Amino acid sequence: MKTLVTQVGSYLTGDATADAVVQYWLALTEERRTDVVEIPVVGSGGERSNVRLALGAMLPIAVVEADLAPEIDDDEASAKRLLARARTLTPTAAPAFDPGEEPEGLTGFESSLV
């Protein structure tokens, strides 16, 4: 288990969920975006519930290891949902031209560098 620490509180959640929150937060930060996510947590009395977290560059988070035994039932499912959201933000670069194909106008530019 890990504790997510935010400006508004601390939340005990599963390892996979906490790690996925950080990965999604990083993806949002790189894109200069924000989002609200809902994750499973364990309350101070051991009760299970969900919390909604706002994530983004201006909303710092920290993760602290928590040596506690309780597990969260949908930890893996929560992590998968967050990672899927992070993947939608990660830009995929595609080459503008195929290897060996010379783009138009590049020849003059190359000769000016020599």
Side-chain angles (χ1 to χ4, degrees), residues 4 8 14 22-23 34 54 92-93 110:
L4 287 171
V8 296
V22 171
Q23 287 183 27
T34 59
T92 54
E110 286 177 334

Side-chain angles (χ1 to χ4, degrees), residues 1-98:
M1 306 261 336
K2 293 182 179 179
T3 301
L4 287 171
V5 181
T6 71
Q7 293 174 324
V8 296
S10 299
Y11 310 97
L12 185 63
T13 191
D15 290 349
T17 298
D19 294 341
V21 165
V22 171
Q23 287 183 27
Y24 188 40
W25 177 82
L26 286 170
L28 287 166
T29 299
E30 288 176 8
E31 294 290 316
R32 294 186 177 125
R33 295 179 62 184
T34 59
D35 197 3
V36 176
V37 298
E38 187 168 325
I39 62 167
V41 295
V42 176
S44 59
E47 71 281 359
R48 307 296 201 265
S49 64
N50 290 329
V51 67
R52 289 185 181 162
L53 295 175
L55 300 176
M58 300 302 291
L59 305 165
I61 59 172
V63 177
V64 179
E65 294 285 336
D67 293 328
L68 298 174
E71 288 300 318
I72 294 185
D73 297 334
D74 60 345
D75 183 36
E76 292 296 325
S78 175
K80 285 180 183 178
R81 285 190 304 271
L82 287 166
L83 293 174
R85 288 169 89 165
R87 280 191 295 274
T88 65
L89 294 176
T90 305
T92 54
F97 51 92
D98 291 327

